[in-house]
Amino acid sequence: LAVTPGPAELERVYGDLCALGPDSRVTPWPFPQLMADAAEAARAGLLVRNEDVWQSLRQVNFALLDKTGTITQGKPSVVAAELPDEACGYVLALESCSHHHLSTAIGAYLRERLSGQPCGAPDSVSSVPGEGIYGRWGSDEWFIGRARGRACRKDSLHASECFVEVRRNGAYIGCLTVADTLRADSREAVFDLRAAGAALVMATGDNMDAAIECGRAAGLENIRWEVRAAGKLALVHGEQRCGRVVMAVGDGLNDAAAIRAAAVGVDRS
């Protein structure tokens, strides 16, 4: 299920399906209703890739939500940077090799700062979901991604912000602060999904302060932070072992494994 709009659109479709009956084996979905709801979903921007998702969606009782792009707008921008000029060209070249949503914001910021002049392409590139991207130029390895060193500051962090760290050969070089705002309909969607009977968990790779502040602003109580891709997959499998029908919502890069494993996977990338 590939989705473009906010969570309220997903909640409306989910609510309509729940109203049809709790057991699809007893209450089959009439074909005209299927076509009508599929057309309504398409008008809302939802692309359904598997017809079985309609039946599974009716039975969902647990939803795993990512933070960035699901609870927040998913349109980040760089609001501050502590990065030496010598590093900017390497970071821009690395971000040009990435499809992550933060890369667009960082790339735009650095192109303006550098007047669009990155250094040459790296000799090799590798990415680690939920961590970041590595690039090698000769004997030097550059990294941009999850903060673990001096960039892990919490004194000025707000719910909409996260820190992205730059390292060379494992040593801290600098960081960028990237901000993203809460979706206007997130709190309403969380309330309605919970009222429909779904238990909700927000799991994010961001640090504790950012995760808790953002999750609480959206009305969420069960909040997990610093969760890697493998951790989200483990959450899905754990709930499935308890007999729950899981929906996972996130981006198709970092959350791909969890989205594939869930009964209903919503890719918002």
Side-chain angles (χ1 to χ4, degrees):
L1 188 64
V3 184
T4 304
E9 284 82 358
L10 179 60
E11 173 270 319
R12 279 190 218 99
V13 176
Y14 178 40
D16 290 344
L17 295 175
C18 288
L20 291 173
D23 191 342
S24 62
R25 294 170 296 178
V26 176
T27 312
W29 199 353
F31 183 73
Q33 184 66 52
L34 171 63
M35 296 302 295
D37 283 338
E40 181 180 353
R43 286 192 294 271
L46 282 76
L47 174 63
V48 180
R49 295 179 176 171
N50 184 341
E51 65 275 10
D52 293 338
V53 75
W54 295 113
Q55 300 294 344
S56 298
L57 191 56
R58 299 170 61 187
Q59 302 168 346
V60 166
N61 53 20
F62 183 91
L64 175 64
L65 309 175
D66 185 33
K67 170 179 169 282
T68 304
T70 300
I71 301 301
T72 65
Q73 291 281 353
K75 298 178 180 178
S77 60
V78 176
V79 296
E82 297 177 4
L83 196 64
D85 290 340
E86 66 184 63
C88 292
Y90 292 99
V91 174
L92 179 54
L94 263 184
E95 294 292 23
S96 299
C97 299
S98 173
H99 299 291
H100 194 276
H101 54 270
L102 293 183
S103 298
T104 301
I106 294 172
Y109 169 82
L110 291 176
R111 277 190 292 273
E112 182 177 346
R113 179 169 169 177
L114 288 173
S115 300
Q117 297 298 321
C119 66
D123 301 328
S124 63
V125 177
S126 62
S127 60
V128 179
E131 287 290 334
I133 185 169
Y134 295 83
R136 182 170 291 277
W137 282 264
S139 59
D140 288 332
E141 181 182 70
W142 288 78
F143 167 85
I144 179 165
R146 178 187 298 276
R148 71 177 187 186
R150 280 185 286 167
C152 293
R153 303 163 303 174
K154 298 181 176 63
D155 55 334
S156 61
L157 191 67
H158 300 289
S160 62
E161 297 178 346
C162 68
F163 293 125
V164 178
E165 186 172 281
V166 177
R167 302 195 295 268
R168 181 179 61 193
N169 298 327
Y172 174 86
I173 295 295
C175 71
L176 302 98
T177 305
V178 184
D180 193 8
T181 58
L182 197 74
R183 288 182 178 272
D185 58 354
S186 287
R187 190 172 182 86
E188 178 185 0
V190 165
F191 177 84
D192 290 339
L193 281 169
R194 186 180 289 120
L200 305 177
V201 171
M202 187 190 83
T204 176
D206 290 347
N207 65 56
M208 181 182 69
D209 289 356
I212 291 176
E213 191 171 349
C214 179
R216 287 179 176 171
L220 290 158
E221 299 173 355
N222 195 340
I223 302 165
R224 314 287 179 88
W225 53 88
E226 296 184 2
V227 182
R228 272 65 165 180
K232 292 184 181 183
L233 178 60
L235 279 172
V236 171
H237 286 160
E239 295 300 326
Q240 289 172 332
R241 284 193 295 269
C242 294
R244 296 186 177 93
V245 179
V246 179
M247 174 173 66
V249 187
D251 71 80
L253 295 175
N254 293 327
D255 305 319
I259 289 172
R260 284 197 301 268
V264 178
V266 183
D267 178 359
R268 300 188 49 78
S269 57

